């Protein structure tokens, strides 16, 4: 009992020393853990880290011939033949030819694409998308400068722009005329409203019949004999004769709208050229009917496309004595790889 009491004072300093060492070890562990927990996982990066991160690479436009050919084939698969500007098959192939004028792959591809691209440009013109059509025809002009089809597309754009300008001018003139008529009508109404109210009094009532008896009867007036001048005026030519003198003269039919045929794919691949001569009837309304193949070289190669295109032509009918009449006509359509 006495021995245990004597050992307690000896153990107390040792226990206190171990507690102090444990406390210091705990503080040191917390300090060493602080740098690790200062940037927890999942936290947003600091501005310095953001600046250090590399920027995403921008899309690089194709430059080499191989890249341009790949881009052109991708544009063909996605039906981007001549649109949008700077990202279409024709433009990529033209860039290939700028780099390698004798590149056979680009030459053949443009030759095959031209009929399809011309059809797309023609659809733009029909839909009155003239700015887009102008850019597309410019590309086609670069691809085939001597193409008659491209020249016709250019003329159609010019004619349609002129027609739109005339229509706009006519609408502006009609608006000005309507405004002037409205202004004149308003002025007339204002003038009528400003007239004095005593104006109806000016037409004084006629005197009573009793007062008329007080006036002596007037002397008889001898009427002069009828003049011949009115009879001469009445004997002038009737209006029908004037209309007949100004009736339109007879004239032949004239082409108003022309639709170019599509080059058959098989003939294009085999580089076949030829022509088709057709006969047809121009109706009194200017439409084309009864299209028949008269002759062709070679036969049955271009017949269907030629007849299909000619059936969409439009004419002003033949006039005889001021009346439209049907007329027979013949037309040769040439298919050339030029």
């Amino acid at each position: 009992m006495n021995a245990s009491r004597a050992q307690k004072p000896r153990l107390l300093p040792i226990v206190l020393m171990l507690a102090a060492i444990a406390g210091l070890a705990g503080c040191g562990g917390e300090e060493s853990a602080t740098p690790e927990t200062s940037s927890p996982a999942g936290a947003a990066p600091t501005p310095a880290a953001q600046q250090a991160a590399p920027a995403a690479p921008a899309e690089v436009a194709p430059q080499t011939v191989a890249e341009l050919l790949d881009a052109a084939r991708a544009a063909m698969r996605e039906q981007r033949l001549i649109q949008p500007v700077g990202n279409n098959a024709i433009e990529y192939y033209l860039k290939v030819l700028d780099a390698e004028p004798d590149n056979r792959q680009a030459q053949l591809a443009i030759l095959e694409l031209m009929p399809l691209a011309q059809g797309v440009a023609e659809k733009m013109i029909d839909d009155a998308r003239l700015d887009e059509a102008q850019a597309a025809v410019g590309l086609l002009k670069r691809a085939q400068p001597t193409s008659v089809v491209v020249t016709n597309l250019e003329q159609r754009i010019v004619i349609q722009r002129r027609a739109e300008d005339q229509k706009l001018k006519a609408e502006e003139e009609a608006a000005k005329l309507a405004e002037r008529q409205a202004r004149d009508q308003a002025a007339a109404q204002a003038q009528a409203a400003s007239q004095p109210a005593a104006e109806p009094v000016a037409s004084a009532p006629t005197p009573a019949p009793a007062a008329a008896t007080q006036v002596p009867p007037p002397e008889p007036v001898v009427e002069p004999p009828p003049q011949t001048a009115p009879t001469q005026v009445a004997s002038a030519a009737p209006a029908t004769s004037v209309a007949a003198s100004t009736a339109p003269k007879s004239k032949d039919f004239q082409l108003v709208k022309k639709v170019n045929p599509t080059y058959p794919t098989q003939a294009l691949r085999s580089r076949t050229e030829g022509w088709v001569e057709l006969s047809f009837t121009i109706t009194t309304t200017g439409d084309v009917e009864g299209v028949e193949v008269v002759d062709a070289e070679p036969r049955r190669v271009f017949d269907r496309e030629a007849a299909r295109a000619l059936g969409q032509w439009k004419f002003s009918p033949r006039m005889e004595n001021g009346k439209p009449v049907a007329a027979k006509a013949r037309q040769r359509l040439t298919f050339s790889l030029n």
Side-chain angles (χ1 to χ4, degrees):
M1 189 70 170
N2 293 331
S4 62
R5 290 180 179 176
Q7 289 178 356
K8 286 183 180 180
R10 296 177 185 177
L11 295 175
L12 183 59
I14 297 174
V15 172
L16 293 175
M17 185 180 295
L18 292 175
I21 292 172
L24 291 175
C27 293
E30 290 177 359
E31 290 178 359
S32 61
T34 302
E36 297 177 359
T37 57
S38 60
S39 178
T46 61
Q50 291 178 354
Q51 294 178 0
E59 185 177 355
V60 180
Q63 298 294 334
T64 66
V65 170
E67 292 175 346
L68 290 170
L69 290 174
D70 290 340
R73 285 189 287 267
M76 290 177 61
R77 288 193 300 268
E78 298 172 5
Q79 297 298 314
R80 290 182 284 109
L81 304 183
I82 51 178
Q83 276 191 315
V85 176
N87 188 15
N88 59 78
I90 292 287
E91 198 160 351
Y92 285 135
Y93 283 126
L94 288 175
K95 289 182 179 179
V96 172
L97 293 178
D98 290 340
E100 296 181 1
D102 296 331
N103 189 291
R104 189 63 177 168
Q105 186 175 356
Q107 291 175 350
L108 291 176
I110 287 179
L111 191 63
E112 292 183 0
L113 281 176
M114 281 299 291
L116 300 176
Q118 290 164 2
V120 174
E122 189 170 0
K123 183 68 167 55
M124 293 178 185
I125 298 174
D126 293 338
D127 295 342
R129 295 154 52 197
L130 299 184
D131 293 336
E132 299 177 34
Q134 188 74 52
V137 171
L139 282 178
L140 300 180
K141 190 76 173 179
R142 286 178 53 195
Q144 289 188 350
T146 60
S147 172
V148 177
V149 177
V150 176
T151 302
N152 291 337
L153 292 176
E154 287 182 319
Q155 293 176 354
R156 284 192 59 191
I157 293 175
V158 172
I159 293 173
Q160 194 154 338
R161 285 191 187 278
R162 190 178 304 159
E164 289 187 356
D165 292 341
Q166 292 177 353
K167 180 181 178 181
L168 181 61
K169 185 177 180 181
E171 291 176 353
E172 291 177 353
E173 291 179 354
K176 291 180 180 179
L177 177 61
E179 183 180 356
R180 185 164 58 249
Q181 290 177 346
R183 190 167 53 249
D184 294 343
Q185 184 177 2
Q189 292 177 353
Q191 183 179 2
S194 63
Q195 288 180 353
E199 183 178 356
V201 182
S203 58
T206 57
T213 56
Q214 298 176 3
V215 180
E219 297 181 358
V221 179
V222 179
E223 296 183 359
Q227 302 295 326
T228 58
T231 58
Q232 294 175 357
V233 175
S235 64
T240 54
S241 63
V242 174
S245 63
T246 59
K249 298 179 180 180
S250 300
K251 63 178 182 179
D252 206 352
F253 56 82
Q254 293 183 355
L255 179 62
V256 175
K257 177 186 176 183
K258 178 181 178 182
V259 176
N260 294 309
T262 302
Y263 215 102
T265 303
Q266 188 64 32
L268 187 64
R269 293 185 182 277
S270 61
R271 302 186 63 80
T272 303
E273 298 182 338
W275 51 266
V276 180
E277 188 164 349
L278 308 107
S279 66
F280 57 98
T281 301
I282 301 173
T283 66
T284 56
T285 60
D287 296 322
V288 173
E289 291 183 353
V291 179
E292 296 181 357
V293 177
V294 178
D295 197 4
E297 180 62 36
R299 293 184 177 277
R300 292 184 295 276
V301 175
F302 304 104
D303 297 10
R304 183 174 60 181
E305 293 299 333
R308 184 191 65 81
L310 185 61
Q312 302 177 59
W313 286 22
K314 186 74 175 179
F315 293 83
S316 59
R318 174 178 291 173
M319 304 294 291
E320 292 184 1
N321 298 324
K323 295 182 179 180
V325 295
K328 290 282 188 179
R330 295 180 70 163
Q331 179 69 36
R332 172 177 289 198
L333 298 182
T334 302
F335 290 78
S336 173
L337 294 176
N338 252 345

